[in-house]
Amino acid sequence: MNTKPPTRYSLLPRFLMPLDFLGLFEQDPFGNFLFLKRILMSIVGWITYFRYTLYNRVRIEGMEHLKDLPINNVLFLSNHQTYFADVIAFYHIFCAAKWGYKNTIIPPFYLLAPRARSYYVAASETMKGGFIPRMFSMGGAIQVERSWRSKGQDVNREVDKSAGNRIGMALDHGWVVSFPQGTTSPYAPVRKGTAHILKEDAPIVVPIVINGFRRAFDKKGLRLKKQNTVLSVRIKPPLAYSPDESIDDLVDKVRSAIEQDIPKEKLTWLM
C-alpha cells in the first residue's frame, strides 16, 4: 500500500508553519479550519456520547488494529445502517484510539482533543437535508452524487467522476470512512467505485462490521428508536489486497470483508 507523508494546508508561509503548534491557521483540503472542526467534533461528541454509553451500549472489538496505522491514507470500509449514527460512533472510536483507549470510549476525555484528520463519504442529498446535516458536513463529509439513487428513487445518471479526486485528497490528509454499498439496505451490492479507489490510491483498508444501529436509531440516526440496545462495532485487521487485482475481484473481496454476502437461506428464499 502507499506510504506517503500527509499533506498539510495552512494560511501561513511554509517557514512559519512550525510556529503554529495549535493549528490555528491550518486547514483541511476543502478549506475548513482544523481548530473549528475540532470544536465542532467536540460539541457533537458531547451531545451524542450518552447515546452510545447510557441509553445504549456500544461494544467495540479490534481497536488494537488502529494503534499502528499511519496518520493518512487509511480507508475504513463498513456496512451501513443509519445515515449519521454509524459514522459518529466511528469518530468517537477514532478519537479514543488517539488517546490510547482499548475497546472502549469511556470516559470521554478524548473529546478534549478530537482527531480532526477524519472524513467520511456521504451522498450530497443527505447532507443538504436541513441544518443538522449541513453542520455535520463541516465535520469532514466528502459529498458525492450517487449515480444510481436519488431521494429514495432509482435513477440512472452520469457517474460523479470528481468524487474520486475528493476522496483521494482526503486520503492524502487523513483517514476516510466509506460505506461501499452506498445505502443502509443490508446485503446491497458493493459499488465498483470503491474498487477504483483501491486501485488508484492504494490505501490501507480496514474493514468494519456493525450491528444494532438500525434497531436503536431511526434511518437518519438522529432520533433514538429503542434503548438498551447493544451497538456492535467490530474492527477487523487490514485487508490484504493488491491494486493490480481486477475490479470484480476487489468488489468481491470488499463485500466479504464487511460480511455482506447474501446468506444461503436468503438465496434459497429468493430462488
Side-chain angles (χ1 to χ4, degrees), residues 3-265:
T3 56
K4 47 190 174 183
T7 52
R8 186 175 182 185
Y9 302 87
S10 177
L11 297 182
L12 296 176
R14 185 174 296 274
F15 71 94
L16 289 178
M17 285 184 186
L19 300 178
D20 186 23
F21 57 90
L22 293 178
L24 297 178
F25 297 94
E26 192 171 355
Q27 297 175 303
D28 69 12
F30 311 107
N32 301 305
F33 283 97
L34 293 189
F35 82 93
L36 291 178
K37 186 175 177 180
R38 289 189 181 95
I39 292 172
L40 175 63
M41 291 173 64
S42 182
I43 292 172
V44 173
W46 284 108
I47 291 173
T48 59
Y49 177 75
F50 295 102
R51 292 181 167 212
Y52 301 105
T53 57
L54 180 62
Y55 299 108
N56 297 292
R57 181 170 61 88
V58 64
R59 183 177 65 202
I60 309 167
E61 300 176 48
M63 279 181 70
E64 66 272 12
H65 300 308
L66 306 179
K67 182 180 177 181
D68 297 320
L69 293 176
I71 196 173
N72 69 325
N73 207 36
V74 179
L75 178 65
F76 295 87
L77 299 179
S78 174
N79 60 313
H80 202 16
Q81 295 195 339
T82 73
Y83 291 170
F84 297 113
D86 312 0
V87 75
I88 291 174
F90 295 165
Y91 269 38
H92 275 282
I93 293 169
F94 295 166
C95 294
K98 173 186 173 183
W99 280 55
Y101 287 44
K102 298 178 180 178
N103 291 339
T104 185
I105 58 172
I106 299 173
F109 295 138
Y110 58 85
L111 292 175
L112 298 174
R115 189 184 195 283
R117 288 174 177 257
S118 299
Y119 303 89
Y120 63 99
V121 180
S124 295
E125 62 188 80
T126 301
M127 306 313 298
K128 296 175 182 176
F131 172 75
I132 293 179
R134 289 178 184 272
M135 181 181 69
F136 285 170
S137 69
M138 296 169 56
I142 306 169
Q143 299 186 36
V144 301
E145 294 286 348
R146 293 186 297 183
S147 61
W148 70 94
R149 193 83 171 164
S150 178
K151 298 180 180 178
Q153 303 293 323
D154 292 333
V155 298
N156 185 11
R157 60 189 178 194
E158 187 176 351
V159 174
D160 182 4
K161 295 181 180 179
S162 64
N165 293 333
R166 293 194 295 275
I167 294 171
M169 291 170 62
L171 284 169
D172 285 343
H173 191 252
W175 293 359
V176 174
V177 175
S178 181
F179 302 99
Q181 294 166 289
T183 175
T184 57
S185 300
Y187 308 116
V190 168
R191 299 293 164 177
K192 292 184 178 181
T194 300
H196 285 288
I197 294 171
L198 269 56
K199 291 182 76 68
E200 293 170 10
D201 297 296
I204 295 172
V205 174
V206 179
I208 301 179
V209 179
I210 63 172
N211 199 13
F213 290 82
R214 187 178 288 110
R215 291 190 295 273
F217 301 96
D218 66 345
K219 188 172 184 178
K220 289 186 176 180
L222 299 177
R223 182 176 60 84
L224 285 168
K225 190 169 67 174
K226 184 180 179 182
Q227 296 186 21
N228 300 318
T229 302
V230 175
L231 307 173
S232 172
V233 179
R234 182 156 47 91
I235 304 166
K236 302 174 75 172
L239 179 67
Y241 76 95
S242 169
D244 296 329
E245 295 180 58
S246 70
I247 294 293
D248 289 339
D249 285 346
L250 289 172
V251 165
D252 290 341
K253 191 166 284 190
V254 167
R255 183 178 61 247
S256 179
I258 63 173
E259 301 181 10
Q260 288 299 291
D261 291 312
I262 301 177
K264 291 182 179 179
E265 57 269 22

